[in-house]
């Protein structure tokens, strides 16, 4: 299958770790893709039509067929282009990958966001606790592996870009110690391996504009307390 | 692969729609399975050891390897035993199945539960609205198909046992009109097809003891208002 002959479009915004997941998967497969930058304050008709349920990015459109939800998209890409597999072939290892990537979305994404961007102090503290507890589960699970699947990065690592790239920005914005090398030495080492991997490094957006954006969001929330 | 030579165990409770998902998948594949009934007020060491993250049922143990999360288990079963496929083979259809089963878990399970078993009236009403909106998306998606995947039931239908079997019990307990044939004619017709399918029917627990259990739960919550 010649990737360049395919009609492959990604609706996204620069800086979203969920969009990055799809971009990493595409890069890994060597798929050229048209990137359509969305303005989330004024979403395109294409986005609203392609993801009527959530109206969110990323949306991946392959030969006019839209797919939403970043992990669903990554599995689709892995099943459509077979080179450089993202999920392992063994069913038990696949279930491991699905379990932990779902865990990141269910237990870490929301809680770590709310650890920083929640006005209510009690609610914020509850989310810090939940984030730390969830990160500890990942720390224990990682053990001394380089990546979650072993020597090469895969599905859980791609899901984990949120932890390796976004949480450090969030916590610096708020002066919070959530994900540090002292608290989670193995997970921190993994995060450095991940963001310095050539495929990931190539896809991650510049840190500074994102930091400035979230700093400004944090300050406006703090001012409204 | 001779199913009877495998060491296959399911930790569950009777009446859980999430446990039913796994039982339906096993039944469809013709896999004999040892069922260990858990007491959720006093969880077994095996459950705590097998699912340390969530400490919940279902847990599926295959040749001493535990897997948690009902949809992850169903995909594992489908990938391990190839007869009577649950997910379609086409990658786009697979992504459709994953999207909508995730939608049921993210948008319907919690909201419909809270539509009935939430004491705070405002919170309850918000969840009723969200449930109706989510069910409408499924109604639109189903169109005139017999099952979500077409003529034979598959992954989304298995996820949807919660809607077809549990929501009707919840709403009757509370005298609530959430999922009715008037509001959602296509989805209601689908739900009747599903619960009357021989494989599903054989797995679903008797309705009356469950109704009595949830009625009692509802009344104790109402009394605490």
């Amino acid at each position: 299958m010649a990737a360049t002959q395919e009609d492959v479009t990604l609706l996204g915004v620069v800086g979203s770790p969920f969009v990055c997941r799809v971009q990493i998967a595409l890069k890994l497969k060597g798929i050229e893709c048209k990137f359509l930058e969305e303005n989330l304050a004024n979403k395109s008709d294409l986005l609203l039509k392609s993801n009527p349920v959530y109206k969110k990015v990323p949306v991946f459109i392959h030969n006019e067929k839209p797919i939403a939800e970043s992990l669903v998209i990554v599995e689709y890409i892995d099943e459509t282009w077979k080179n450089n597999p993202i999920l392992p072939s063994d069913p038990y290892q696949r279930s491991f990958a699905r379990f932990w990537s779902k865990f990141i979305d269910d237990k870490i994404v929301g809680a770590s966001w709310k650890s920083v961007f929640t006005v209510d102090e009690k609610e914020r503290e509850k989310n810090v606790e939940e984030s730390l507890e969830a990160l500890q589960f990942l720390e224990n699970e990682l053990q001394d592996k380089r990546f979650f699947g072993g020597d090469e990065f895969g599905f859980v690592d791609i899901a984990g870009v949120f932890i390796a790239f976004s949480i450090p920005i969030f916590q610096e914005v708020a002066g919070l110690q959530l994900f540090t090398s002292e608290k989670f030495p193995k997970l921190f080492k993994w995060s450095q391996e991940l963001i310095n991997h050539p495929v990931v490094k190539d896809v991650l957006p510049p840190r500074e504009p994102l930091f400035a954006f979230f700093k400004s969001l944090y300050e406006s929330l703090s001012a409204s307390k």
Side-chain angles (χ1 to χ4, degrees), chain A:
Chain A
M1 193 181 288
T4 48
Q5 293 175 348
E6 304 271 336
D7 183 1
V8 178
T9 303
L10 176 61
L11 312 188
V13 291
V14 173
S16 156
F18 307 104
V19 174
C20 284
R21 287 175 176 175
V22 179
Q23 291 174 303
I24 292 167
L26 290 169
K27 192 95 195 165
L28 205 61
K29 300 286 184 176
I31 311 295
E32 296 285 334
C33 178
K34 186 158 92 180
F35 185 84
L36 295 183
E37 173 88 15
E38 282 289 328
N39 173 0
L40 296 184
N42 182 20
K43 296 173 183 175
S44 74
D45 289 343
L46 184 59
L47 173 58
L48 299 176
K49 197 185 88 182
S50 305
N51 188 4
V53 174
Y54 297 107
K55 306 175 181 70
K56 283 183 182 173
V57 294
V59 170
F60 183 68
I61 307 178
H62 183 205
N63 296 334
E64 300 186 355
K65 290 179 185 164
I67 307 169
E69 296 284 77
S70 63
L71 295 179
V72 174
I73 298 169
V74 172
E75 279 217 64
Y76 172 81
I77 290 170
D78 198 38
E79 292 182 343
T80 301
W81 292 277
K82 307 282 189 192
N83 61 312
N84 296 335
I86 294 170
L87 280 126
S89 58
D90 171 69
Y92 189 73
Q93 293 304 321
R94 291 169 73 84
S95 75
F96 171 94
R98 292 186 184 120
F99 178 89
W100 286 108
S101 55
K102 184 177 187 313
F103 176 82
I104 289 170
D105 276 1
D106 291 349
K107 294 291 170 185
I108 294 187
V109 167
S112 61
W113 174 265
K114 289 183 196 156
S115 297
V116 173
F117 300 104
T118 298
V119 175
D120 182 84
E121 190 59 21
K122 213 169 160 184
E123 182 70 12
R124 212 189 56 74
E125 279 172 16
K126 180 176 153 268
N127 278 285
V128 168
E129 258 178 56
E130 286 177 8
S131 300
L132 292 171
E133 190 190 359
L135 288 166
Q136 188 62 52
F137 273 118
L138 279 179
E139 172 84 2
N140 299 347
E141 191 55 44
L142 186 63
Q143 298 170 348
D144 292 312
K145 288 178 290 188
R146 188 175 173 213
F147 294 112
F148 278 91
D151 283 340
E152 283 305 314
F153 84 88
F155 197 57
V156 184
D157 308 291
I158 290 177
V161 161
F162 181 87
I163 300 168
F165 182 68
S166 304
I167 293 183
I169 296 177
F170 296 168
Q171 69 183 4
E172 195 185 328
V173 154
L176 186 70
Q177 302 278 305
L178 202 60
F179 174 45
T180 65
S181 59
E182 291 74 29
K183 285 193 175 88
F184 305 107
K186 290 170 184 172
L187 202 58
F188 193 85
K189 187 161 171 279
W190 157 86
S191 75
Q192 298 307 300
E193 290 267 9
L194 185 65
I195 59 174
N196 287 302
H197 189 287
V199 170
V200 178
K201 204 172 181 168
D202 203 41
V203 159
L204 289 177
R207 197 180 190 276
E208 284 319 308
L210 276 178
F211 182 82
F213 172 81
F214 286 115
K215 184 81 182 168
S216 150
L217 176 65
Y218 178 74
E219 283 169 357
S220 69
L221 284 172
S222 300
S224 72
K225 266 182 196 174

